[in-house]
Structure formats: structure tokens, C-alpha cells
Amino acid sequence: IKLADGTYTAGLTIANPMTGGKEVRLVGNVTTPVNCFINVTNDNNVVVSARDVRLRVRGIRVGTTTSGSNFVAAGGELDIAGPVVIHGAVGDNFAATYGGLITISANYNVAEWAGGQNHWHVHTGGMMVCANRTITLGGRNTFTRFAGVAAACLTAPNCTFPVTGPGVVTGSRYLVHRNGTIATETANANYFPGSTAGAVATNGVYS
């Protein structure tokens, strides 16, 4: 799926199994991702709920209005395979659940002032992997928490989170609970960005 520059107010949902292959590619402007904007009101921007389907995304900017999350893997797989810009969400920026897998295979940017409930939300059997990546934040970003994990697994070793704009990232660094696991390979409590400490509760593991 090739998107031209512009603003799109309808999102993409892959809910049905595919025949003849299981990979879909969503490609916008890989040189200037901000020019290709998916901005949905009262719904999620990009959702993969079909099992055994992988969506690779690059070259887009995403944001939601009123409600909704940006990227949701709810049973399927979603791979950030090239540059994207997070413009903010009323819900989560990334959510993996119900056996869904999100892989961050490329560095990406979070726009100034952008926020959301969780930047990364992994719960109810979801998985997320972000290794050796740089997530650049534009400053003055506000999240309820940067990483939230419950009954699921987030693996995020060797990542960096530079803030390039004015101000700070506001919100809790993480919450891991209900038998969830966050693996950073450092166990550094200040690993994720945020203005307040993270928390471990109800059999969560932070390592």
C-alpha cells in the first residue's frame, strides 16, 4: 500500500486472514514522514488483528483525535520497518495484545508536545521487541506512563531516548504488573524517559 503525501482521516485495519502470503507493506514518504499523516478521530489508526499477518510500516506520521491509539497489534504482527513520526494519541501510541507482536526495527521520532496514555502498552498476552534503537522525543511530551506491561512481555535492550526539544518528558517511566515482564538487560530504574519513578506490582518483573 503506497500512500501519497497528504492527510488521511481513515485508518487501516487488517482483520481477515490472507491467502498467497502473509505480509503487507504500508509505505508513505520515507524521506519526510511528516508529509504523510494518518489522523483518525474516535478510532485507532493502524490495527492488525488477523493472525499470521505481518504489516510493515514506514514513512508515515500518526496521531489520533478524541480517542484511539496509533499502532495496535491485536493478534497479528506489526513491524516499524522505517522512519515514522508519532504525533500523539488520546489512547496508546503502541499497543500489543491478545497474542499480537510489535517489533521496532527502525529508529523513530516522537513530535514535540505529543503524548498519550502509554507510549508502549503490552498486555494480555502481547509481545513487543525494541532492541538497539533510538527513539527521539521532541520535548514537552506527556504520557501517563512511557511503558505499561501487564500479563505480557516487553523486551527493550540497548535503546536510547534522547530529548531534542525544550522541556522534559512528563509521566511515570513504567508500570509492570500482573505477571508482566520488562527486560532491559540493565534493570536501571531510570532507563525509560519520564519525570516520576516506575513501579513493579502484583508479580511483575523488571530486569
Side-chain angles (χ1 to χ4, degrees):
I1 302 171
K2 183 68 173 72
L3 295 181
D5 287 358
T7 298
Y8 299 86
T9 57
L12 171 65
T13 297
I14 302 175
N16 297 317
M18 297 172 54
T19 57
K22 71 170 189 174
E23 183 170 295
V24 178
R25 298 181 182 181
L26 176 64
V27 181
N29 187 328
V30 296
T31 302
T32 313
V34 294
N35 290 351
C36 186
F37 188 22
I38 302 178
N39 185 208
V40 177
T41 299
N42 291 325
D43 207 346
N44 301 314
N45 276 325
V46 178
V47 180
V48 185
S49 57
R51 297 189 183 277
D52 297 323
V53 173
R54 178 187 300 113
L55 175 66
R56 295 189 185 276
V57 178
R58 58 193 179 104
I60 64 172
R61 174 169 57 126
V62 288
T64 67
T65 303
T66 308
S67 67
S69 297
N70 281 322
F71 293 109
V72 180
E77 298 181 28
L78 196 153
D79 180 20
I80 303 302
V84 301
V85 175
I86 305 299
H87 193 72
V90 180
D92 301 319
N93 292 152
F94 295 87
T97 186
Y98 299 124
L101 169 64
I102 293 178
T103 304
I104 308 297
S105 299
N107 303 332
Y108 68 86
N109 287 24
V110 181
E112 186 179 357
W113 294 108
Q117 291 181 10
N118 300 271
H119 184 64
W120 293 343
H121 193 191
V122 192
H123 64 98
T124 321
M127 293 183 64
M128 184 171 180
V129 179
C130 180
N132 306 301
R133 298 298 166 201
T134 298
I135 290 81
T136 303
L137 297 112
R140 295 186 279 211
N141 308 111
T142 300
F143 306 103
T144 303
R145 64 191 63 85
F146 189 85
V149 180
C153 181
L154 166 63
T155 302
N158 303 313
C159 293
T160 57
F161 307 92
V163 179
T164 60
V168 298
V169 177
T170 301
S172 172
R173 297 179 187 277
Y174 60 86
L175 171 63
V176 55
H177 61 145
R178 298 178 184 173
N179 299 300
T181 300
I182 295 178
T184 69
E185 296 185 1
T186 68
N188 181 350
N190 297 319
Y191 180 74
F192 294 114
S195 58
T196 61
V200 178
T202 53
N203 301 312
V205 175
Y206 184 86
S207 64

